[in-house]
Amino acid sequence: MANDQEHGGPNGYGHGAANGYGHGAANGYGHGAAGDQGAVPPQNPYGQPAPYGHNPYAQPVPPPQPYPAQPVPPQPYGAQPPVATSPYGTREPSVARPEAAQQPVPAQQLGVPSQPGGFPGPLPRRNRFAVLLQFLLQWIYAPLWIVGLVILFAVLILSDYNGGGPDSDGWLRVNRSFIPPRRLRAELTGRPEDWERYVTPVIERRIAAAEAKHAAGGGEVRADLGREVSFGLADRLYRGLGAAGVVRIGERYGWRGARPSGTGSEHVRLVRHFPAPTGLNAPAPQDPPAAPGTPWGPQPTRSALLLPFVFVLQVLYVPVYGLATFWVDRPEPDYWERWGARWTVGPRAFRAEFTDSPAAWDRHIRRILDRDTKRELSRAADTYRTVTAPDGTFHRRIRLHRATYRGAGAHRALRLAAEQGWTLDPAYTPDPANSLRLCRRDHR
C-alpha cells in the first residue's frame, strides 16, 4: 500500500569526483565510462559512415585528466564539501561575485529557518503520539480506502456521470497518508541523520528513473540542444532534513536544486542538464538505400493473413491490457508507442502493411508528414521561448513512429522528410528501430 517510490534501492552511483558531486568524472559533471546512463553515445553504432560529419550543435568533450580523481566519502550532515586540491600545491577557493550569489528566501515567508542557497531547512517536527496513532490505524483505513475507491469507480461507470468533481486528485492517493516502516524511525526521532538515512535511497531511486528516462529519449530540450530532466519530492519525505539537505544529497550525483513552479505538495525539485550527443552517425538522405533488416532499412512486416485479425481484435485487447497494467511504472517514455507498433495496426497503415507495396508505404509516410508538418507549423513562435537561441532561431520538432515506416525503412522516411526540409534532430541519439526524431530550423 505504501508508495513504492518511498522505498530506496541499492546505491548504484559512485561518488568518485574530486569535488564529491559527480559520477566518476574529474570535473564532477560527467557520467563515467561509455555504457553508463547519460554517457557519450558510441561512435557509429550502425557500422555506417558518418556522412553528416561534425555535429555543429555537439558539446566539446573535455580532455582526460592527468591525475585520477580520488573518491570522496559522503559528507556528514551540515558539513561543507572539501575544496579540490592541485598536485602543484594548494589554492585558495574561488570567491563568487556578490551579484551572482542567490538571495535566500526570507524565513518569515517560509516559517522555517533559511539555509544557504535559498532552500528552507527542516520543517516542524510532528507529535510522536500522532505519528504512532497514524502508523497503527493506517493498516485499517488504507485497505478500506482502496476498497471504497473501487466501489466509487464502479458506481461512476454504471451511473450517468457527467465528469464533474474535485479539482485535485489528492483524495485518490492513499500513499500520501501512509507512513512506511522505514520512515517511522525518522518521524519519531526527528534527527536529521535519520531522515538522511531514509531519504537518500529514495533520491537514488528517483535519479535512476530520471536518467533512464533521459536515456530513452525523455527530458525537455533546451536552446543549446541539450536536454534537462527533473523530479520532485514531497515534504513528507524529507521533513526532518529540509529542502537544503535534499539539494545537498542531489549535488553528490551531479544534480542541482530548483524550486517547482506554482504551489503543491512538491516543495523541492532536483534537475540535471545533459548535453547534446556528439557525432550523429546516420546515413544522409542522398546516400544509397539501407539494406533490408538493418536498423535503417525496411523491417519485416506482419503476415497479411494475421493482420485483419489484429485490426479487429485490437478493439478488445488494447483496453483490457491498458486497464490491467495502468498502475505499472514504466521508465520508457515511449513504451506505449513501441507496444502499439508491435500489437496494433492503424486504419491508415493497414493498406500499406497489408500490401507491403513501396508505393503504398510512400503514400502513408507522406500523409503522416503532411499532417504533422501542418500541425507543427500552426504553433506560434512564442511557445518556443525555452528553446530559442539568442539570435531568435529555434527548431520545430516532429516524430515518426516505427509503425509509420516499418515496411519502407527509416532511411526512406528520412529521404521523404528531407523533401519538406526536415533533418535528424541533433538533440537525440538516432534510434531508427523505434522512432525517427526530426527537426526543422525556424526564426522568430
Side-chain angles (χ1 to χ4, degrees):
M1 292 178 293
N3 187 353
D4 61 349
Q5 294 180 344
E6 297 184 1
H7 291 75
N11 185 355
Y13 302 90
H15 294 265
N19 57 4
Y21 298 97
H23 281 249
N27 57 5
Y29 295 94
H31 273 254
D36 292 343
Q37 296 173 356
V40 177
Q43 297 298 319
N44 200 4
Y46 306 118
Q48 298 180 4
Y52 286 166
H54 176 67
N55 178 14
Y57 306 103
Q59 301 296 321
V61 180
Q65 299 295 330
Y67 299 94
Q70 299 299 324
V72 178
Q75 300 298 316
Y77 178 77
Q80 297 296 328
V83 178
T85 59
S86 169
Y88 302 103
T90 59
R91 63 176 179 85
E92 295 294 332
S94 59
V95 180
R97 292 179 299 175
E99 62 271 17
Q102 286 186 327
Q103 298 297 328
V105 178
Q108 294 80 1
Q109 298 181 9
L110 299 172
V112 293
S114 178
Q115 298 292 330
F119 293 95
L123 298 175
R125 181 180 174 183
R126 296 183 59 192
N127 182 271
R128 291 184 179 182
F129 177 77
V131 171
L132 286 174
L133 185 63
Q134 178 182 349
F135 181 78
L136 294 176
L137 295 180
Q138 68 185 2
W139 306 100
I140 300 175
Y141 69 74
L144 296 178
W145 193 336
I146 296 176
V147 172
L149 290 177
V150 173
I151 296 175
L152 176 61
F153 283 121
V155 172
L156 293 178
I157 293 175
L158 297 177
S159 62
D160 187 13
Y161 178 58
N162 57 5
D167 297 333
S168 174
D169 62 346
W171 58 281
L172 295 173
R173 302 181 181 273
V174 186
N175 59 290
R176 291 184 178 180
S177 61
F178 193 88
I179 301 178
R182 304 180 72 177
R183 199 174 82 206
L184 180 62
R185 175 183 175 86
E187 291 274 10
L188 293 177
T189 64
R191 293 196 297 262
E193 54 269 23
D194 291 337
W195 277 100
E196 182 169 355
R197 190 178 300 110
Y198 162 73
V199 76
T200 297
V202 176
I203 295 176
E204 292 172 351
R205 181 185 180 94
R206 299 202 180 184
I207 285 178
E211 293 183 348
K213 178 181 178 181
H214 169 267
E220 297 182 6
V221 181
R222 296 305 181 187
D224 61 352
L225 299 180
R227 282 180 287 148
E228 189 175 270
V229 292
S230 64
F231 64 90
L233 288 177
D235 56 2
R236 68 178 182 274
L237 302 179
Y238 60 86
R239 175 180 299 275
L241 185 62
V246 173
V247 173
R248 177 175 55 83
I249 296 174
E251 287 176 346
R252 297 176 186 170
Y253 305 97
W255 291 65
R256 61 180 176 85
R259 292 186 177 276
S261 58
T263 59
S265 61
E266 292 180 343
H267 290 246
V268 65
R269 295 188 68 80
L270 294 179
V271 181
R272 180 159 189 177
H273 181 83
F274 292 87
T278 57
L280 298 182
N281 295 320
Q286 65 273 12
D287 285 352
T294 60
W296 288 93
Q299 301 297 318
T301 56
R302 288 166 288 193
S303 170
L305 298 177
L306 179 63
L307 207 60
F309 294 97
V310 174
F311 185 76
V312 174
L313 296 179
Q314 67 185 359
V315 180
L316 300 177
Y317 64 74
V318 169
V320 172
Y321 181 76
L323 292 174
T325 61
F326 75 94
W327 53 271
V328 178
D329 185 17
R330 308 185 189 279
E332 304 89 354
D334 58 348
Y335 170 81
W336 288 106
E337 286 81 2
R338 299 186 184 190
W339 185 87
R342 183 177 182 182
W343 297 105
T344 65
V345 57
R348 296 183 176 181
F350 180 83
R351 180 177 179 181
E353 190 168 359
F354 185 79
T355 61
D356 201 19
S357 167
W361 279 111
D362 285 359
R363 285 194 299 269
H364 176 59
I365 295 174
R366 285 194 172 96
R367 183 165 55 242
I368 300 300
L369 281 171
D370 293 340
R371 182 199 65 184
D372 293 350
T373 300
K374 182 178 179 181
R375 181 185 303 167
E376 182 66 17
L377 294 180
S378 64
R379 293 181 57 186
D382 293 339
T383 60
Y384 297 89
R385 289 189 297 269
T386 60
V387 294
T388 302
D391 60 354
T393 61
F394 63 93
H395 287 82
R396 297 184 181 272
R397 291 179 165 85
I398 63 174
R399 182 181 179 188
L400 299 181
H401 298 291
R402 176 187 177 187
T404 303
Y405 56 81
R406 182 200 306 268
H411 186 218
R412 179 60 181 173
L414 182 62
R415 178 176 297 182
L416 297 178
E419 297 175 357
Q420 302 186 22
W422 295 99
T423 60
L424 281 177
D425 195 336
Y428 300 88
T429 302
D431 187 19
N434 295 300
S435 63
L436 199 61
R437 296 181 182 270
L438 306 172
C439 70
R440 179 172 170 176
R441 187 186 295 271
D442 204 341
H443 194 278
R444 295 185 64 177

